[in-house]
Amino acid sequence: FGLSNKFDTEFPSVLTGKVAPEEFKTSIGRVNTCLRKNLPVNVKWLLCGCLCCCCTLGCSLWPVICLNKRTRRSIQKLLEWENNRLYHKLGLHWKLSKRKCETSNMMEYVILIEFLPKYPIFRPD
């Protein structure tokens, strides 16, 4: 369904001077822990759904779709919590985004780190 089983913990060079590498690794570690807890259950339901797909006319795949949606929502909530806790104060915004793979026409989910615009606080109204 396009959701990775883990995200890379390597510190991107573009964040140098913006975020401590330890904070970055902690945040990615939390996301990877969430994936590690949820994805084995999704795989079991996917195998079961594929085996029973012909008998149920595809309805056996609904639990997998719902579990995948729940996993995405929990990651989005976790990223929003991280944003409110730290990253918005540093002028960054993390979000889960869907994009097309470079090697095929399939879609995948990635974590985008956007730089928030700085507001001129000394400018008169």
Side-chain angles (χ1 to χ4, degrees):
F1 294 100
L3 200 56
S4 180
N5 60 348
K6 75 174 191 167
F7 289 102
D8 190 15
T9 58
E10 184 179 328
F11 186 72
S13 61
V14 82
L15 293 179
T16 303
K18 300 275 186 195
V19 178
E22 298 81 22
E23 285 290 339
F24 176 81
K25 287 186 189 227
T26 302
S27 298
I28 292 293
R30 285 186 182 121
V31 172
N32 286 339
T33 300
C34 181
L35 286 171
R36 198 175 314 119
K37 284 193 303 191
N38 292 324
L39 285 181
V41 175
N42 293 8
V43 170
K44 289 176 188 174
W45 276 102
L46 179 63
L47 290 175
C48 181
C50 288
L51 291 174
C52 302
C53 189
C54 295
C55 300
T56 62
L57 301 174
C59 291
S60 59
L61 293 175
W62 276 107
V64 179
I65 293 169
C66 293
L67 287 171
N68 188 47
K69 195 175 203 179
R70 187 179 76 178
T71 303
R72 276 196 327 256
R73 280 193 188 140
S74 65
I75 291 173
Q76 288 169 342
K77 284 183 181 180
L78 178 64
L79 290 177
E80 196 57 41
W81 180 79
E82 290 283 345
N83 282 331
N84 290 332
R85 180 185 70 86
L86 175 68
Y87 295 109
H88 282 173
K89 297 172 189 167
L90 299 174
L92 299 171
H93 180 77
W94 288 38
K95 71 178 184 177
L96 193 65
S97 179
K98 205 179 209 184
R99 75 167 185 190
K100 197 172 191 176
C101 291
E102 291 130 8
T103 57
S104 66
N105 287 335
M106 297 176 73
M107 300 296 280
E108 68 179 348
Y109 285 95
V110 295
I111 294 178
L112 288 180
I113 303 173
E114 300 172 333
F115 293 95
L116 297 175
K118 294 184 179 182
Y119 296 107
I121 59 173
F122 297 114
R123 180 184 253 177
D125 289 337

